[in-house]
Amino acid sequence: MTTAAPPPIPSETLVMRVDRPGGPEAMVPAMVPLRRPGPGEVLMATRAIGVNHLDLYYRDGTLPFDAIPAPAGAPAHVPGLASVGEVLAVGAGVDRFGPGDRVAHAGPPHGAYAAHRVLPVGRLVRFPHMIPWDVGAAALLPGIAVHMMVYGLGLRLDGRTVLVRGAAGGVGLILVRWASAMGARVIAIVGTQAKAEAAREAGAEHVVIGGSAAIADAGRAVLDMTGGAGVHLVFDAIGGANFTRLPALVRPFGRIVSFGQVAGPIPPLDVGVLGPQRSLGLDRPGVFAHIDDRERLREATSALFTALVEGLLSPTVAGVLPLRRAADAHRRLEARDVIGSLVLVPDA
């Protein structure tokens, strides 16, 4: 019996590179040399790439690429922080993975917008065969972010009433599903009727649609559902000037978890608004800090993959685009018309 020879390792690969910060058009396709993995490294053939709001912030210069050093020999300014694929080759000293294994990568280093990439073995985890490539890529970083907010912060959801602002995004829909499955009553704030339907399908008990008036409308729902007590938790993906109106919706000893700023930077918040009379908590967790430790990365991805396999979570894949059309994916995210997560796949 003969075994199939491993696929050849290409000498170069396609990436979407950002030479200078700017709009979606700042990403340009480029063929770059592809080196073989060195000691402690793995060469992965990418099968699917998750598109996340963090990618936009690095592309437009809101966050600096240089804050996260690229691996030796890798292009410095290639976006992307989540991808799944197959191992093509491993470097010396790597015995955890071998050619053909399915793996996932989330978090630093940058560079997921690539058809192939070399990664440190410590940044990879096994990716189950039962999960489709696009579903895994869509759920990866959002699912880890939800794990961070729930388990990393030690939050209790069973029997709690929670408000999710930005509930139809990649993180928001997973958060609504996870919280509902854990016994929480969820109030969702979304921007359109289509997003409202998605939030309800994910398990939201009450959905508020609207722009600047949405928080006021959510406040009325909070009063009705809690008898005037306020919600136990607010999860906010939107930020912007209206963030300062959220503490009024939270009951004493409740907490606000801020995990995004799609509507712009969060203005300064007077600590007196939080306490001592209200006794509120404010959290601003960072997903990179959560998975910087390999054990936390393993715990987060294990919980996520188990939830996907068992059907507890079913992330919404809003669209699958060729890697060369990464700019179109970013334009859709910036237009805020995406329900769930977008995925890129290497060009055929």
Side-chain angles (χ1 to χ4, degrees):
M1 179 178 178
T2 60
T3 58
I9 298 174
S11 59
E12 58 181 13
T13 193
L14 172 70
V15 303
M16 296 300 294
R17 188 171 64 197
V18 177
D19 292 325
R20 62 184 54 145
E25 69 282 352
M27 290 186 294
V28 295
M31 298 300 296
V32 300
L34 180 64
R35 65 180 179 86
R36 290 180 175 269
E41 294 180 329
V42 172
L43 171 60
M44 182 183 80
T46 304
R47 297 295 179 241
I49 303 153
V51 181
N52 299 284
H53 274 97
L54 277 173
D55 304 345
L56 278 61
Y57 301 151
Y58 285 103
R59 185 216 71 219
D60 68 13
T62 300
L63 299 173
F65 273 108
D66 296 339
I68 303 177
H77 296 162
V78 175
L81 292 158
S83 57
V84 292
E86 292 179 284
V87 174
L88 283 186
V90 300
V94 175
D95 55 10
R96 188 179 301 149
F97 303 110
D101 285 347
R102 289 163 58 104
V103 292
H105 163 264
H110 291 290
Y113 288 20
H116 303 82
R117 61 190 308 218
V118 175
L119 286 159
V121 66
R123 302 307 305 174
L124 291 169
V125 295
R126 292 193 179 276
F127 180 64
H129 285 269
M130 299 82 79
I131 304 174
W133 294 118
D134 60 340
V135 170
L140 191 53
L141 202 60
I144 290 174
V146 172
H147 184 275
M148 166 194 70
M149 288 187 282
V150 175
Y151 297 100
L153 296 178
L155 301 181
R156 175 188 162 192
L157 292 178
D158 181 26
R160 304 297 199 188
T161 303
V162 305
L163 174 67
V164 181
R165 184 175 177 230
V171 177
L173 281 177
I174 290 180
L175 179 55
V176 171
R177 288 189 174 101
W178 210 316
S180 299
M182 294 180 70
R185 302 179 68 193
V186 179
I187 303 170
I189 299 180
V190 298
T192 67
Q193 182 61 46
K195 291 182 177 182
E197 293 172 3
R200 289 191 187 95
E201 186 277 331
E205 185 172 331
H206 188 96
V207 180
V208 175
I209 306 171
S212 59
I215 292 182
D217 292 341
R220 287 187 283 274
V222 168
L223 290 174
D224 290 343
M225 289 180 61
T226 66
V231 296
H232 296 88
L233 295 163
V234 170
F235 294 96
D236 180 61
I238 305 300
N242 281 323
F243 181 86
T244 57
R245 301 172 63 190
L246 296 176
L249 307 182
V250 186
R251 69 178 61 198
F253 294 97
R255 290 167 75 171
I256 301 170
V257 182
S258 168
F259 64 95
Q261 52 186 58
V262 175
I266 298 170
L269 184 66
D270 182 357
V271 70
V273 173
L274 302 176
Q277 289 187 332
R278 301 295 305 288
S279 300
L280 304 183
L282 174 60
D283 298 284
R284 178 73 169 172
V287 69
F288 294 169
H290 184 58
I291 60 175
D292 184 57
D293 177 80
R294 175 166 176 80
E295 185 58 25
R296 283 198 301 267
L297 173 64
R298 187 200 63 78
E299 290 176 359
T301 52
S302 176
L304 171 63
F305 295 157
T306 298
L308 291 173
V309 170
E310 294 181 351
L312 175 65
L313 297 180
S314 53
T316 301
V317 179
V320 178
L321 291 78
L323 177 58
R324 290 179 183 271
R325 289 183 56 195
D328 291 338
H330 280 215
R331 290 186 186 98
R332 287 186 60 185
L333 269 188
E334 289 178 338
R336 296 173 65 176
D337 67 352
V338 175
I339 299 174
S341 298
L342 294 171
V343 173
L344 301 173
V345 294
D347 300 10

